[in-house]
Amino acid sequence: MAAREPEIITSKEQMRRWSRAMRAQGKIIGLVPTMGYLHKGHLSLINEAHKLANVIVVSIYVNPSQFSTSEDMSTYPSDLKGDLQKLMSVDGGVDVVFNPYDLYDYGKARNRGGIQKRDNNVGEISCLEERGGGHESWVRVENLEKGLCGKSRPLFFRGVATIVSKLFNIVEPDVAIFGKKDYQQWRIICRMVRDLDFAVQVIGSEIVREDDGLAMSSRNVYLTLNERQKALSIYKSLSKAKHAAEDGQVNCKRLKESVILAIEEAGGKVDYAEIVDQETLEAVEEIKSPVVICVAAWFGKARLIDNIEINV
Ligand code: PAF
């Protein structure tokens, strides 16, 4: 049976009022932050939220500050109507969809002298700054944001940490659920919450995969059928490396090489394949404690990320 249609809230003042009213009634508020174009992976985050909270907010917001000007913000897939249908198919439904229009003040910076390059080594600017960006306060998680995806996307986690802080400040959730597919993002949010004393419990939810192993992602829509087939090499190679590690191969260089080779042989372009400590995300040479193998690879227009934990 389809659940009720969620209430759609578009202003931050109204969102905060709603949350405060819920809290006054003693409700536990769960937040699932998303950029929309929902898939089963997102729906599993909502199921997790239901286990821990009485009322559920799903935010849908394509965040300009986490896209660089060379990335795909304008073509990022979106389908609010379809998303609402999917949310109604979840057991217990969703109380609110927070779909804000006013999360950033675009200001007049552009008129005052235009876009300025930032001192982030690569001179990259984000879509937000390109739009004018009357916003200059950022949350950075200095070390965790540097490696893995942070290398090729130097402003990405600044944008993520900042928007998630804003969502936490507006929605004031008791618990927030993030997918472990975005492993680095999840760790960064956990660290930010710890370091900045946000009063929210952050939960990492397991990766949801298609039957053939491909990690679910809104970006899978960019894959042709042929590329999608080739992209299966990511999970296959990660699983193989995990088995090898469990069978005693502790040399990370060897394990990484096997992953890179398998993906390249399938026609993918590897951005990185790293074996890192699960907490610090620092690269390890030999597996002695829990690690995670993280991969980003291009198949056609799609940059896919995936990972697998090895708990030794
Ligand atoms: O994982 C995402 O979809 C986004 O990075 C998030 C957490 C919603 C922030 O914009």
Side-chain angles (χ1 to χ4, degrees):
M1 195 183 69
R4 68 200 180 289
E5 196 163 325
E7 179 179 348
I8 301 179
I9 295 185
T10 57
S11 97
K12 40 190 177 186
E13 282 73 23
Q14 204 191 335
M15 185 67 246
R16 193 176 275 124
R17 264 202 306 279
W18 183 90
S19 284
R20 293 198 172 170
M22 288 300 136
R23 170 129 327 103
Q25 292 172 31
K27 304 272 200 236
I28 298 173
I29 302 166
L31 171 67
V32 178
T34 81
M35 298 211 297
Y37 210 68
L38 304 178
H39 50 69
K40 283 190 200 140
H42 294 113
L43 304 188
S44 82
L45 303 181
I46 299 166
N47 289 330
E48 284 298 311
H50 271 297
K51 294 182 195 155
L52 299 157
N54 317 114
V55 286
I56 310 293
V57 178
V58 172
S59 63
I60 297 185
Y61 180 66
V62 181
N63 171 27
S65 71
Q66 68 191 68
F67 288 83
S68 78
T69 48
S70 59
E71 285 172 336
D72 53 359
M73 160 119 181
S74 61
T75 54
Y76 195 83
S78 81
D79 176 17
L80 187 59
K81 225 167 140 202
D83 288 346
L84 292 174
Q85 290 297 326
K86 286 179 193 145
L87 292 176
M88 283 163 63
S89 74
V90 176
D91 264 355
V94 160
D95 295 274
V96 165
V97 167
F98 180 40
N99 182 218
Y101 60 85
D102 60 351
L103 271 196
Y104 286 105
D105 171 5
Y106 294 125
K108 295 195 173 62
R110 191 163 208 171
N111 302 337
R112 284 204 307 267
I115 306 161
Q116 285 174 2
K117 298 225 165 189
R118 303 282 162 177
D119 60 348
N120 56 38
N121 303 330
V122 291
E124 181 149 321
I125 54 166
S126 78
C127 273
L128 179 66
E129 282 142 318
E130 189 192 42
R131 286 171 174 208
H135 181 97
E136 52 176 315
S137 310
W138 301 104
V139 180
R140 301 206 79 146
V141 181
E142 292 185 344
N143 283 322
L144 287 179
E145 71 166 36
K146 277 188 194 141
L148 304 174
C149 287
K151 274 196 187 144
S152 56
R153 307 179 81 194
L155 295 183
F156 176 72
F157 290 113
R158 179 190 79 160
V160 170
T162 302
I163 200 70
V164 172
S165 301
K166 284 160 79 68
L167 291 170
F168 286 174
N169 284 331
I170 296 163
V171 179
E172 299 180 343
D174 298 285
V175 50
I177 321 288
F178 292 83
K180 279 164 74 171
K181 184 175 83 67
D182 300 305
Y183 204 89
Q184 187 175 14
Q185 166 171 287
W186 168 56
R187 284 299 188 198
I188 283 176
I189 301 301
C190 291
R191 186 68 194 221
M192 174 189 94
V193 162
R194 191 190 102 171
D195 289 352
L196 300 182
D197 297 304
F198 280 99
V200 55
Q201 185 190 2
V202 175
I203 304 293
S205 188
E206 295 308 322
I207 299 177
V208 180
R209 298 185 180 280
E210 304 285 358
D211 289 344
D212 55 14
L214 186 70
M216 290 197 187
S217 163
S218 306
R219 288 192 155 89
N220 290 351
V221 66
Y222 299 138
L223 295 167
T224 62
L225 269 180
N226 188 25
E227 287 160 357
R228 197 194 167 292
Q229 218 31 47
K230 293 175 173 176
L232 299 180
S233 59
I234 300 179
Y235 181 56
K236 277 192 196 145
S237 65
L238 286 174
S239 306
K240 208 168 150 200
K242 181 180 165 101
H243 286 135
E246 285 168 348
D247 286 346
Q249 175 56 279
V250 292
N251 182 314
C252 292
K253 191 164 174 278
R254 293 252 165 77
L255 292 168
K256 272 189 318 194
E257 276 167 5
S258 70
V259 171
I260 293 170
L261 190 69
I263 295 173
E264 286 181 350
E265 274 180 0
K269 194 166 151 269
V270 176
D271 180 3
Y272 65 78
E274 296 284 353
I275 304 185
V276 297
D277 178 272
Q278 284 184 14
E279 293 256 340
T280 64
L281 304 185
E282 272 165 20
V284 294
E285 282 176 11
E286 210 173 89
I287 302 179
K288 296 186 194 132
S289 54
V291 294
V292 52
I293 315 181
C294 296
V295 169
W298 288 91
F299 283 86
K301 281 190 291 178
R303 181 179 179 278
L304 305 178
I305 60 171
D306 201 348
N307 66 76
I308 202 160
E309 288 179 319
I310 303 175
N311 294 306
V312 291

